Amino acid sequence: MGFFTDTSVCIGCKACEVACKEWNGVPEDGLDFTGMSYDNTQGLGADTWRHVAFIEQDKPIGNAESGIDHAGAPGNGATDMRWLMASDVCKHCTHAACLDVCPTGSLFRTEFGTVVVQEDICNGCGYCIPACPYGVIDQRKGDGRAWKCTLCYDRIGAGREPACAKACPTDSIQYGPLDELRERAALRVEQLHDLGVEDARLYGHDPNDGVGGDGAFFLLLDEPEVYGLPPDPVVTTRDLPSIWKHTGLAAAVLLGGITAAFAAHGRSGGRR
Amino acid sequence: MSEMSEGNESRVTREGVQGERPDREARIGEGLARRDGGRRGRRAEKAMVPEAEFSSSYYGLPILNPPVWKSLDIAGYFFLGGVAGAGSVLAAGAQLTGRPAVARALKISSLAAIAGSTAALIDDLGRPARFVNMLRVMKLTSPMSMGSWLLAAYGPAAGAAAVLDVTGLFPRLGGAATAGAAALGPLVATYTAALAADTAVPAWHDVHRELPMVFAGSATAAASGAALLACPVRETAPMRTTAVLGAALELAAAKWMEHRAGLVAEPYRKGKGGRFVRAGEILSVAGATGGALFGGRSRAAAALSGAALLAGSACTRFGVFHAGVQSAKDPKYTVVPQRERLAAAAEPSAKQSAL
Ligand code: SF4
Ligand code: SF4
């Protein structure tokens, strides 16, 4: 099970952010004024499990025109402005780096294919935080443990949809079996392309990508990095064989070098 | 699930979507009119503006969540692990070749260093009381898990080697402990490089081939420095050689790493990370050269060189630590290499379609 977030219908109401905080009892995480359009949340972290990004661009969406006559105004009556809004969340990666590197087994894969932290086990080592290629999981200040989206493990276990999907008034956040969501997402991209929204594309839907496909994937209207998403994330443990091999090699060089030095010098009292 | 009859519940079932909201298929971008040619022409003109090398990121915010590790704890943990691990190998060598003062000093320094390293690791936990959870599972995919088990085996061996040497009790057991610590030592000194590399931090992950060599060299130089600092000149000749070997390996591997990694290695030359790396280079070269030239003649020169080697190794580890944090905080280091990778992957197919 997973999420399909269709950002083309997101209206930036932040109902998902609020619903998530309420349902999961996520504490307040500072009230900042950032000046980043309407985004004062800034990004995902220990106390933000859904984050709505706001991007203002000097460019229309597809063939959209306001219909208001701006004749005489610069731009020939065009309203070349679009607002991209996108609700970001933990991707629940098929190959999840956070889970791979967790030394306590606190992070685990659920029966729904999602990735969840067991808060009674996490010892706050912080390893999962720089391991996540998306910058999702983080340490909660004053608590010390790592926290992130659980895809409402408690709700979906009881046959309910996650709080964010439930609260989303436009169905920008859709919850369901991944293969069905992928099918529907492909149809939606086609529909948008037909409407002239040529920059519509899916992100994280491909099971052959660097993380084996995301359990939460997206329909975006611009490059991923514009939304603060990495363009080609790869699970760090894909290189693990090479990492261990080179670590072993370095250990062997250390041992060999020191042995050689002692062999060359011989017993004490001998050659200097 | 028929009991769920709330109005706005939408469900994806095998039979299709039920109760979806009307806006799901919103025909955004449909617009009122097709654009005319004149406007398209104007847009095309706009596209002539050359794109900045790196223009797109979300308000310049980092893509990754940077490590929350405290530099003193984690860079200190890397450094002390190196002093301990390489020290155990040197101690065994010294013992086998009849250099008891060096053997004893390094066994003690290894015990102190590994205790300090473990304390630093525990201090850095968000929940230090749950440290034992590290031994709850054994995971090859987690260098921190493997490292915890390694410390659990190495710590007692290093401890027994030191205590039995000082007390003179059970010499055969002491010999076995010394050998055991020496066998695990090289990994204790280098696995921390795997720990850093097994993350999404660009300046750590992308140098995963070279970083362990940097750590191996740095550890050897540091442990040799400890011997030069603590032991009489007549016994430290091999340690003056290993100091040179270690410093040379550390420097060569670091240069190779910076050369290979390109853009991602920039933090090793800039800012706090760059300053520490530079200081590490200078101190290591000074310590190794000083030890080689004067360490055999003057006790004071040997001690000074040893201190420089230890400080150099510590600076290198702090440099690596800060360079990693810097690279995680700037989205450029995450986005640009990934873009290049995508472009490189797309190239062959583009060539093919051009044919
Ligand atoms: S997005 Fe990050 S936190 Fe979420 S499952 Fe993937 S690696 Fe883990
Ligand atoms: S901080 Fe907690 S969840 Fe994250 S790796 Fe450490 S023990 Fe696992």
Side-chain angles (χ1 to χ4, degrees), chain A residues 98 101-104 106-107 117 121-128 137 146:
Chain A
C98 61
V101 305
C102 174
T104 64
S106 155
L107 275 153
V117 191
I121 290 170
C122 171
N123 66 11
C125 74
Y127 203 4
C128 50
I137 193 164

Side-chain angles (χ1 to χ4, degrees), chain A:
Chain A
M1 302 300 272
F3 283 131
F4 166 47
T5 306
D6 177 356
T7 70
S8 72
V9 292
C10 177
I11 53 171
C13 69
K14 305 187 198 184
C16 50
E17 280 193 23
V18 177
C20 174
K21 283 229 174 206
E22 289 295 328
W23 180 265
N24 294 299
V26 179
E28 182 262 327
D29 53 344
L31 298 168
D32 294 329
F33 178 73
T34 63
M36 291 160 32
S37 190
Y38 281 65
D39 178 10
N40 288 330
T41 309
Q42 303 180 54
L44 295 174
D47 300 328
T48 305
W49 300 356
R50 269 276 176 193
H51 159 242
V52 181
F54 286 73
I55 301 131
E56 295 175 32
Q57 289 181 332
D58 183 19
K59 180 180 178 182
I61 289 188
N63 298 314
E65 299 273 349
S66 67
I68 299 166
D69 185 11
H70 285 298
N76 278 336
T79 48
D80 271 6
M81 193 266 163
R82 66 175 187 175
W83 221 335
L84 303 183
M85 287 156 285
S87 179
D88 195 10
V89 70
C90 169
K91 316 301 177 289
H92 295 275
C93 313
T94 305
H95 304 304
C98 61
L99 189 159
D100 283 348
V101 305
C102 174
T104 64
S106 155
L107 275 153
F108 79 113
R109 173 107 32 211
T110 71
E111 66 273 34
F112 301 102
T114 55
V115 179
V116 174
V117 191
Q118 300 174 75
E119 298 307 344
D120 52 342
I121 290 170
C122 171
N123 66 11
C125 74
Y127 203 4
C128 50
I129 294 156
C132 169
Y134 296 96
V136 170
I137 193 164
D138 211 345
Q139 189 174 44
R140 182 173 291 169
K141 298 215 164 46
D143 171 278
R145 292 171 294 177
W147 298 82
K148 72 168 192 75
C149 161
T150 69
L151 217 139
C152 282
Y153 191 33
D154 49 353
R155 291 179 62 92
I156 63 178
R160 306 276 156 160
E161 67 181 325
C164 54
K166 170 93 176 151
C168 179
T170 63
D171 263 359
S172 171
I173 301 174
Q174 301 170 26
Y175 164 75
L178 274 173
D179 46 353
E180 305 230 353
L181 291 175
R182 287 195 188 116
E183 240 171 76
R184 182 136 39 81
L187 288 176
R188 175 67 177 161
V189 170
E190 227 172 83
Q191 182 191 27
L192 287 172
H193 286 175
D194 287 347
L195 288 170
V197 188
E198 279 146 23
D199 33 18
R201 89 266 333 254
L202 296 180
Y203 175 82
H205 62 296
D206 181 2
N208 298 316
D209 69 11
V211 296
D214 290 333
F217 66 101
F218 300 81
L219 186 153
L220 304 178
L221 298 180
D222 204 336
E223 300 294 347
E225 55 268 34
V226 171
Y227 296 87
L229 296 164
D232 184 29
V234 173
V235 58
T236 179
T237 44
R238 198 177 73 179
D239 291 322
L240 200 65
S242 171
I243 293 175
W244 281 129
K245 194 182 90 192
H246 285 89
T247 304
L249 191 68
V253 166
L254 189 156
L255 188 61
I258 292 179
T259 309
F262 275 105
H265 282 276
R267 288 195 69 80
S268 178
R271 186 163 61 88
R272 270 274 153 100

